[in-house]
Amino acid sequence: MTDLHHDEQPQPEPYHPQAYDSAYPPPPAQPPHPHRARAKRPVALLVAVAIAAAAVGGGTSVLLDRVTGEPGGGGGNGISGTNVSASSSGTVAGVAQALMPSTVEIQADNASGQSTGSGVIITSDGEVITNNHVVAGADTVKVRLNDGSTHTADVIGTDPDLDLALVKLQGVRGLQAATLGDSSTLKVGEEVVAIGSPGGLTGTVTSGIVSAVDRDVTVAKEPGRGQPPGGDWPFEFGGREFNGDTGNSRTTYKAIQTDASLNPGNSGGALINMRGEIIGINSAMYSPSTSGDSGSGSVGLGFAIPVDTVKSVLGDLRDGDG
């Protein structure tokens, strides 16, 4: 096929009248189709290519769509495309827009200072799932909604072994609850979106893929003493300690590994599939630093508690266990 540059135009092939047997008259001329002007000239098929790149570490999808409006032609090698530009469904932007109202920032105050994390609204009357280490030992818990309003919340139940907690906002109704999905069907390579409040930056969106499933992750059940200021997101991996003292009490659970960027403050936030369903609660990250510097950032190794684990203990959390 000849490549066409912007300043070149496709040239029509010469027209050769078809010869007919002298014993039969030529077929009558057909009137031109009202929607097919110049029908006897070759039609150039233009292909539009749309490329959508994920914000962080995500895959790239390519959409091909013919824009000539002409059926047929092109032989058997044509590609039937679908134009999705009219809808944001299944895109990072679409997922973020749909789930942003269901994600919150959590501030937990205690005698040692303040811990900042994230959470996911699961009922319209204010139930929020987060990590245990975000609210462990808190005297007061404040939850900031996507609309900017701040509400006091009560810690209803905790499960330190799974690093999960349920808090409930006081005096709210009509919140937009997220849909809890099915983490058992997750496949490595599947695209995901993370929403949280890293560094107090509420409503931060990152994206990536599921890097692995059923990873054994060991974390502290709550922040340890002697932690440097701001080091409220302890994490241990492979026997090495990061982001401050992890304390003496640790727990290990199965986690989803993702390369969506997670940083301190994302803890307790949503990990979402491209159908807009919660498939995990972001809980930890790996940092290569051994200096105890709590400012170290994401290196593309984040971990989330599977949503099936959340659903399995939700009743106990509502009963105030923990």
Side-chain angles (χ1 to χ4, degrees), residues 236-253:
E236 179 193 355
F237 187 83
R240 301 169 65 194
E241 295 179 357
F242 309 102
N243 296 335
D245 180 13
T246 60
N248 296 319
S249 181
R250 303 181 177 97
T251 185
T252 300
Y253 53 81

Side-chain angles (χ1 to χ4, degrees), residues 180-188 190 210 213-214 256 273 275 277-280 305-309 311:
L180 302 183
D182 181 359
S183 54
S184 68
T185 62
L186 277 179
K187 303 226 174 5
V188 173
E190 187 172 334
V210 174
V213 295
D214 293 330
I256 301 164
N273 64 21
R275 295 184 296 277
E277 301 165 335
I278 305 298
I279 48 89
I305 301 165
V307 74
D308 287 0
T309 300
K311 291 189 290 186

Side-chain angles (χ1 to χ4, degrees), residues 31-39 43 68-71:
H33 192 282
H35 300 292
R36 296 180 61 184
R38 293 158 59 185
V43 178
T68 60
E70 287 282 358

Side-chain angles (χ1 to χ4, degrees), residues 154-212:
D154 299 314
V155 178
I156 303 301
T158 63
D159 189 328
D161 289 334
L162 294 175
D163 197 17
L164 289 172
L166 179 69
V167 304
K168 187 169 183 180
L169 280 65
Q170 299 176 1
V172 298
R173 292 289 185 274
L175 301 181
Q176 182 173 317
T179 299
L180 302 183
D182 181 359
S183 54
S184 68
T185 62
L186 277 179
K187 303 226 174 5
V188 173
E190 187 172 334
E191 291 182 274
V192 289
V193 175
I195 303 179
S197 301
L201 300 174
T202 306
T204 295
V205 177
T206 59
S207 68
I209 62 169
V210 174
S211 303

Side-chain angles (χ1 to χ4, degrees), residues 99-191:
L99 270 295
M100 197 74 76
S102 302
T103 60
V104 301
E105 178 185 317
I106 296 176
Q107 291 185 348
D109 295 309
N110 56 39
S112 301
Q114 184 181 84
S115 171
T116 301
S118 306
V120 180
I121 299 171
I122 60 171
T123 64
S124 61
D125 62 349
E127 285 186 348
V128 173
I129 283 286
T130 186
N131 286 140
N132 173 69
H133 72 255
V134 172
V135 297
D139 298 320
T140 60
V141 176
K142 298 287 187 180
V143 176
R144 182 181 181 186
L145 301 179
N146 184 60
D147 63 8
S149 62
T150 300
H151 304 265
T152 300
D154 299 314
V155 178
I156 303 301
T158 63
D159 189 328
D161 289 334
L162 294 175
D163 197 17
L164 289 172
L166 179 69
V167 304
K168 187 169 183 180
L169 280 65
Q170 299 176 1
V172 298
R173 292 289 185 274
L175 301 181
Q176 182 173 317
T179 299
L180 302 183
D182 181 359
S183 54
S184 68
T185 62
L186 277 179
K187 303 226 174 5
V188 173
E190 187 172 334
E191 291 182 274

